[in-house]
Amino acid sequence: MDKLGSADFIPRNYSAGEQFPVDHWAAILRVRLCYLVRHQKIANLNAPQTFTELVQRRKLQNRDVRMPVLADKVAVKHIVEDILGKSWVIPTLWHGGALPDSPRWPVPFVLKSRHGCNQTMFFRDGANNWTLARRRAHAWLSASYGQWLDEWLYDHIPRGLLVEPFVGDGSNLPIDYKIYTFGGQATHIQVHLDRERRHRWMLFDRNWTRVSAASADPDPSPPRSLPAMLDAAEALGNGFDFVRSDFYEVGGKPLFGEMTFYPGSGLDKFNPLSIDAMLGQYWLGAGGR
């Protein structure tokens, strides 16, 4: 577990535990305004009590230099392989700074940005528009992801692209299991369904009891590899007051997706709203800051 703080994974000339600088007052104003618009209330940044408030304070105060490396979709694979083993890691078919003139990889495959979120294209056959892909990729590389929401760590990830094999049955995306870990203890699993077409999610505790509001979707069965996923999330989350680690299950076997330090940038609403306070207490109990 010391590997997460190892100098091997620290960017620039910073040491583990050191903090990056921040343009504090402008960032406070932006964070307060965004939170007010999305939650219709003023964020308590001095003594945050809810999960979404704690995400805002993390954006303003926490400059742990390990975080950009773990949010880097290329670099994190080396760390996960070291901690969990190679079988957990989705192979990288290619990564670089510009797409080739034509795709070089067997379909189906996935194109992602290395340094951002929700920047993904799926290629299942030869009918996809590669010109569109190159245009989108150029846009991803041209923009500073996360800056407008003060998600500072993305500025410290090298801008780039990566290609992975499609995980799943070739047509449908696999269920996404996003595990909330506080102080090294995995407490809740956010289950994301049909992310490509009609995205929705529900929240379960670690015993697979649903805590989010009832919906039209029946409760899915827990993945067979859930115990292994929980153990993996705790191994990856050791040393952090909070981190979310994402996993898939394919053929009964777990696969690592990514690590996230600002879920929804702390701007998504929970249903019921009491979940926000509940998760906030877990975070505070883990020494949240």
Side-chain angles (χ1 to χ4, degrees):
M1 295 314 304
D2 291 339
K3 203 68 172 179
L4 288 181
S6 166
D8 292 343
F9 302 109
I10 300 302
R12 299 186 180 181
N13 295 317
Y14 294 88
S15 59
E18 191 173 349
Q19 303 284 301
F20 286 120
V22 59
D23 179 9
H24 200 64
W25 295 110
I28 288 175
L29 178 60
R30 289 190 297 266
V31 163
R32 284 193 179 279
L33 286 174
C34 287
Y35 193 88
L36 178 62
V37 169
R38 293 298 295 269
H39 291 284
Q40 293 83 53
K41 66 176 183 178
I42 297 174
N44 183 348
L45 300 178
N46 293 323
Q49 296 298 308
T50 67
F51 179 86
T52 55
E53 289 174 334
L54 283 158
V55 172
Q56 309 314 311
R57 188 167 73 171
R58 167 176 273 182
K59 289 192 286 187
L60 293 169
Q61 293 188 358
N62 193 329
R63 297 294 184 269
D64 189 323
V65 294
R66 296 171 297 172
M67 291 164 61
V69 189
L70 294 171
D72 181 335
K73 292 183 177 66
V74 173
V76 72
K77 293 187 181 187
H78 302 292
I79 302 173
V80 171
E81 182 175 330
D82 186 63
I83 295 173
L84 302 181
K86 188 174 183 178
S87 64
W88 286 81
V89 177
I90 299 171
T92 298
L93 300 177
W94 170 89
H95 71 87
L99 288 179
D101 293 338
S102 59
R104 302 171 179 173
W105 313 282
V107 291
F109 65 85
V110 182
L111 169 67
K112 301 178 178 179
S113 72
R114 172 179 184 169
H115 59 286
C117 298
N118 300 316
Q119 296 178 335
T120 305
M121 288 186 70
F122 303 99
F123 294 84
R124 294 182 174 85
D125 54 44
N128 292 91
N129 188 332
W130 192 244
T131 301
L132 174 61
R134 297 186 71 194
R135 187 161 60 244
R136 285 187 180 176
H138 177 75
W140 298 342
L141 294 168
S142 300
S144 177
Y145 182 87
Q147 190 174 60
W148 68 288
L149 289 174
D150 288 282
E151 297 176 341
W152 69 274
L153 66 81
Y154 293 106
D155 274 341
H156 298 275
I157 300 174
R159 296 187 193 180
L161 308 165
L162 70 153
V163 173
E164 298 175 340
F166 188 95
V167 174
D169 61 11
S171 57
N172 297 314
L173 298 185
I175 294 175
D176 204 345
Y177 302 99
K178 302 178 181 293
I179 300 181
Y180 286 59
T181 304
F182 300 94
Q185 181 183 5
T187 64
H188 293 81
I189 307 99
Q190 199 175 48
V191 180
H192 287 246
L193 306 173
D194 200 6
R195 289 173 291 125
E196 192 174 10
R197 300 178 183 87
R198 193 172 65 86
H199 184 202
R200 66 264 190 217
W201 59 265
M202 55 195 73
L203 188 70
F204 294 84
D205 67 18
R206 63 177 294 133
N207 297 314
W208 210 253
T209 299
R210 185 163 172 166
V211 297
S212 57
S215 66
D217 292 297
D219 291 358
S221 299
R224 284 185 284 169
S225 60
L226 180 60
M229 289 182 187
L230 293 171
D231 288 344
E234 292 182 345
L236 295 174
N238 187 34
F240 292 98
D241 49 16
F242 167 75
V243 65
R244 195 193 75 197
S245 299
D246 301 354
F247 301 91
Y248 310 107
E249 183 179 77
V250 177
K253 296 181 179 179
L255 290 171
F256 169 80
E258 62 183 82
M259 295 177 72
T260 304
F261 292 93
Y262 316 118
S265 202
L267 299 176
D268 291 342
K269 294 181 179 180
F270 291 98
N271 185 15
L273 293 176
S274 58
I275 293 175
D276 199 6
M278 176 192 69
L279 294 178
Q281 292 309 300
Y282 277 103
W283 195 335
L284 290 169
R289 62 184 179 87

